[in-house]
Each structure stands twice: as structure tokens, then as C-alpha cells.
């Protein structure tokens, strides 16, 4: 079993920054693909960024340069972060941490989500 717990969401003004954290525990592997997704009400969940090892993959062009994913592997734990800079109102969403096996197309595990609201 794998658990993912996000933290760090909140209210921020346009142009501001936030850093989301995801604590991962359980049966995990350094080859697992970790990711951040977000969901705006009424819209499908979309990928923000994924990382395998130290290689960042699957970041949409609209988020490159503003959002950075990173990770640190432990023995049976892992930490994943999403640094978000120059936030815009359209970044308002629930952000989810995810874990995908490297051979799978979609995430197998999800966190509970953390709300990010960008507003003045």
C-alpha cells in the first residue's frame, strides 16, 4: 500500500509563489514516476509535471519556467515538491500528488489534494 499526503496549498496573490509538498510512504521504488496534477472545477484533471529519477517529464509549455518539480528518495519514503512561481489566477485549482509505475500510462496512487487559490 502507498500513501501520498500533500501540504502547502493556500491563498496567494497573483505573481506570488507557493511550494507544495508530498510525503510518500509504503511500497515505493526509485523507478516510480512521481507527479503533480491539478483539477479546476468542471474540467478534467491535467498534468502539471512528472519526474522519474532526476529527469523532469510531461510539463506543459504553459507551466515551463514557472513550475518546477523535484523529489528526494528515502528508504521507504519519498518527498516530492512543486515550486510554483509567478502564479496566475488561472492556476487556481486542487493540486494532487501522484505515483505512476514507469511501465504504466496513468497514475496508480493519488493524494487527497490541496487547494491553491490565486487571488488578490
Amino acid at each position: 500500500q502507498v500513501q501520498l499526503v500533500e501540504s502547502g496549498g493556500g491563498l496567494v496573490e497573483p505573481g506570488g509563489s507557493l511550494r507544495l509538498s508530498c510525503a510518500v510512504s509504503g511500497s515505493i521504488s526509485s523507478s516510480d514516476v512521481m507527479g503533480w496534477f491539478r483539477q479546476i472545477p468542471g474540467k478534467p484533471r491535467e498534468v502539471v509535471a512528472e519526474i522519474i529519477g532526476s529527469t523532469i517529464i510531461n510539463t506543459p509549455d504553459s507551466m515551463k519556467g514557472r513550475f518546477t518539480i523535484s523529489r528526494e528518495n528515502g528508504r521507504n519514503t519519498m518527498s516530492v515538491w512543486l515550486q510554483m512561481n509567478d502564479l496566475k489566477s488561472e492556476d487556481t485549482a486542487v493540486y494532487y500528488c501522484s505515483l505512476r509505475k514507469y511501465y504504466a500510462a496513468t497514475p496508480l496512487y493519488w493524494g487527497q489534494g490541496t487547494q491553491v487559490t490565486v487571488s488578490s
Side-chain angles (χ1 to χ4, degrees):
Q1 189 68 13
V2 175
Q3 288 189 320
L4 297 87
V5 180
E6 303 101 333
S7 60
L11 174 64
V12 63
E13 293 186 349
S17 298
L18 273 179
R19 190 185 196 213
L20 304 183
S21 299
C22 178
V24 189
S25 60
S27 182
I28 56 178
S29 166
S30 59
S31 66
D32 290 333
V33 181
M34 301 306 303
W36 287 96
F37 287 67
R38 70 184 186 185
Q39 188 163 23
I40 299 167
K43 295 188 176 182
R45 194 170 295 187
E46 61 176 348
V47 63
V48 174
E50 290 186 301
I51 184 169
I52 179 167
S54 59
T55 301
I56 298 173
I57 58 174
N58 294 342
T59 299
D61 289 342
S62 62
M63 301 177 201
K64 287 180 179 177
R66 297 194 301 125
F67 292 2
T68 304
I69 187 173
S70 58
R71 67 189 279 175
E72 182 176 270
N73 297 333
R75 187 183 177 99
N76 292 311
T77 62
M78 190 187 308
S79 295
V80 187
W81 298 276
L82 181 68
Q83 178 66 42
M84 304 186 293
N85 298 326
D86 189 24
L87 284 162
K88 307 176 188 300
S89 58
E90 53 264 38
D91 295 318
T92 296
V94 178
Y95 285 72
Y96 297 90
C97 183
S98 68
L99 183 150
R100 170 167 71 86
K101 294 299 181 182
Y102 69 90
Y103 49 79
T106 57
L108 183 61
Y109 297 101
W110 297 93
Q112 82 285 358
T114 185
Q115 176 70 46
V116 172
T117 302
V118 184
S119 175
S120 55

